[in-house]
Amino acid sequence: NQLQAELKEALKELETRDKRLRESETATKSLTAENEKMQRNIKALTSQVEKLKRAGEESRVAGEVREKELLELRKVTSQEKRSQKASEADTHTREVRLNRALEELERYKRLLEETREQSRGGQEGAKHDLDRVNAENKKLEKQKQELLVAFKKQMKLIDILKKQKIHLEAARMLSFTEDEFMQTLESRF
């Protein structure tokens, strides 16, 4: 009887062990499946992290390019402003010279007229003065024409510089800043 009791106890313990073994196998399978799922998630997350790193690097490089373009535009704008100021100063100087030349021309015309009036009385001295005044008059007319041509060229240059300035300002308005570019990328992810 005691042997049967021990056998019964051993069978019961064996059954308990089998049950525990089955539970352990089920738990192991579940953990293995969970582990495989985690590994797949880790791979997917690693891939996503790599993509984000590449996108971040591309954004950084694009931002640097934009920054360089912006600096270049600022340089060009600064140079254009200096050039425009110099051009305006040069134009003003030419205008002053043109006005002086015109005043001198008028003075010589009056002198020529006076000389003609005097020449009616004495031809020899007056002819010499008249030749001198005529030569001076031609010289001043030539200077006047040169100044007018230079003035017209300056005005064209000013118009071109103004158009360039407008184009540069428009380009600056259209360019992205690095922050705007980063915000656009962040909104996509």
Side-chain angles (χ1 to χ4, degrees), residues 138-153:
K138 284 180 184 177
K139 179 181 168 189
L140 289 173
E141 281 290 341
K142 184 178 176 187
Q143 285 179 351
K144 175 185 168 186
Q145 290 304 318
E146 288 173 355
L147 286 171
L148 284 172
V149 168
F151 182 72
K152 286 178 184 175
K153 285 182 182 177

Side-chain angles (χ1 to χ4, degrees), residues 148-160:
L148 284 172
V149 168
F151 182 72
K152 286 178 184 175
K153 285 182 182 177
Q154 287 295 319
M155 293 310 289
K156 284 181 184 177
L157 179 61
I158 287 172
D159 284 343
I160 289 169

Side-chain angles (χ1 to χ4, degrees), residues 100-115 132-133 136-137 140:
R100 285 182 186 155
L102 289 172
E103 287 171 6
E104 238 178 282
L105 180 64
E106 286 301 317
R107 188 171 61 85
Y108 282 115
K109 280 182 180 177
R110 284 193 305 272
L111 184 61
L112 178 62
E113 195 58 41
E114 288 172 11
T115 305
R132 184 178 56 82
V133 169
E136 193 68 33
N137 195 14
L140 289 173

